[in-house]
Amino acid sequence: MGRTLENKKEIVADLKNSLSESTLALVIDYQGLTVAQITDLRQKLRPSGAVCKVTKNTLMGIAIDGDENWQPLSELLQGASAFLLVKEDFSSAIKAYQEFQKVTKKTELRGGVMEGRLLKETDVKALGDLPSKEQLMAQIAGAINALATKVAVGINEVPSSLARALQAVADKEQEQGESTESAAE
């Protein structure tokens, strides 16, 4: 039973919608994976906000037609293709896929597209090595906290330094006053 024209149009519209929300698209050769394994991959990708779409290359070709951002994807449309569409946290999504790939040893990453550029497997691995969004936010928060602490200590030190200086002047004046009294006697 083949797909109807209406059904194909719905699939293409869904792909276009998914691509419009994505920042990165990866193409993997999923040949040899079972339905259970693909379901497992989808579950691993879900926390990172990525989705795995298994569709015909011709339908994806129609979905990217005329969109300069995704046009390089056409070079990767061959064989049994699954598309990992990543919205934001591409580092976590790539790590989830790499973990899945180590376990199954059945998939092969063909490449990807990000911001209109074709990415090779080495480029994708480099993106996967970047810290996740949460890690970056934690690093920024730590840097801001450290800076705020230094400013607070600096501001707190000014009155303390002033108080010590005034005390030193007062002590010196008191010593001079006592030595003047001793000399007067």
Side-chain angles (χ1 to χ4, degrees), residues 45-79:
L45 292 170
R46 193 169 293 130
S48 65
V51 294
C52 176
K53 301 271 186 183
V54 177
T55 188
K56 289 187 175 273
N57 291 329
T58 53
L59 295 177
M60 181 57 85
I62 293 168
I64 63 171
D65 190 37
D67 189 341
E68 289 181 28
N69 223 15
W70 300 111
Q71 202 57 50
L73 203 59
S74 60
E75 295 179 35
L76 304 171
L77 301 179
Q78 55 198 356

Side-chain angles (χ1 to χ4, degrees), residues 18-29:
S18 295
L19 284 168
S20 70
E21 296 173 352
S22 301
T23 57
L24 171 69
L26 301 175
V27 181
I28 63 170
D29 183 351

